[in-house]
Amino acid sequence: FIIEREMPGAGTLTQAASTRSFTFPQGTVVKRGGYVVLARSSSRAAFEAFWGVTLGADVVFLTSTDHQATEVPTINGSETYTLTDPFGAVRDGPTIAMASSARQSVARLPGGAAGSPSSWTVASDASGTPGAGVDPASRGHGVFISEFSDAGGTGAFVHEFVELHFDGRPD
């Protein structure tokens, strides 16, 4: 599960409207200020090249098809995401839904309610910021779904992603 320290079991990211889920590999850990980027079925190098980024050392990169057969995310529009802990308790979500036409990048404002449209910034799919973009001064929200993005272009669907951010607990 994605936490500030290792704990037994594994959390799950569930996608609704196109029902799919991804169980994080046991022992997956993200440090304070870090990210988890879950890509649909891209290698890290191909993902970085597509998005024009170099993911930092504070980014855990996972590809759903490396860990299980289900491709998450599969973004076609109208999907929402929910994060649960190893015991099935909801840690975050459900999020707002991406437009039914997809082709968007949806980024969250720290502290905003997952289901509130005012908590999210919606932009074109080309504006995704995987592994970055959350204000480093943000604190106290724990692990939350911070961005999800479609990937436009022929064959680009493999680079779709959902991002989680851990901004730590209050000091």
Side-chain angles (χ1 to χ4, degrees), residues 56-80:
D58 64 343
V59 177
V60 175
F61 179 81
L62 300 169
T63 298
S64 66
T65 53
D66 285 346
H67 299 281
Q68 56 198 48
T70 305
E71 291 184 329
V72 176
T74 297
I75 299 176
N76 297 311
S78 302
E79 293 84 8
T80 64

Side-chain angles (χ1 to χ4, degrees), residues 3-4 30-35 142-143 164-169:
I3 53 172
E4 59 274 24
V30 63
K31 296 177 181 162
R32 180 184 298 192
Y35 296 85
V143 176
L164 308 178
H165 179 66
F166 174 52
D167 67 359
R169 300 280 180 231

Side-chain angles (χ1 to χ4, degrees), residues 74-97:
T74 297
I75 299 176
N76 297 311
S78 302
E79 293 84 8
T80 64
Y81 299 93
T82 302
L83 179 65
T84 56
D85 69 16
F87 309 104
V90 174
R91 295 268 315 242
D92 194 30
T95 64
I96 64 168

Side-chain angles (χ1 to χ4, degrees), residues 31-165:
K31 296 177 181 162
R32 180 184 298 192
Y35 296 85
V36 174
V37 173
L38 175 60
R40 181 173 176 173
S41 59
S42 175
S43 71
R44 184 179 184 126
F47 184 87
E48 289 176 331
F50 178 82
W51 288 104
V53 299
T54 299
L55 299 174
D58 64 343
V59 177
V60 175
F61 179 81
L62 300 169
T63 298
S64 66
T65 53
D66 285 346
H67 299 281
Q68 56 198 48
T70 305
E71 291 184 329
V72 176
T74 297
I75 299 176
N76 297 311
S78 302
E79 293 84 8
T80 64
Y81 299 93
T82 302
L83 179 65
T84 56
D85 69 16
F87 309 104
V90 174
R91 295 268 315 242
D92 194 30
T95 64
I96 64 168
M98 184 177 287
S100 60
S101 60
R103 302 294 305 250
Q104 293 179 326
S105 183
V106 184
R108 186 152 164 211
L109 304 171
S116 173
S118 65
S119 299
W120 298 87
T121 301
V122 179
S124 74
D125 57 336
S127 65
T129 58
V134 176
D135 181 353
S138 170
R139 278 294 204 329
H141 309 291
V143 176
F144 62 95
I145 301 164
S146 53
E147 184 175 9
F148 48 101
S149 189
D150 194 5
T154 304
F157 62 89
V158 299
H159 306 295
E160 296 170 344
F161 71 91
V162 175
E163 173 191 270
L164 308 178
H165 179 66

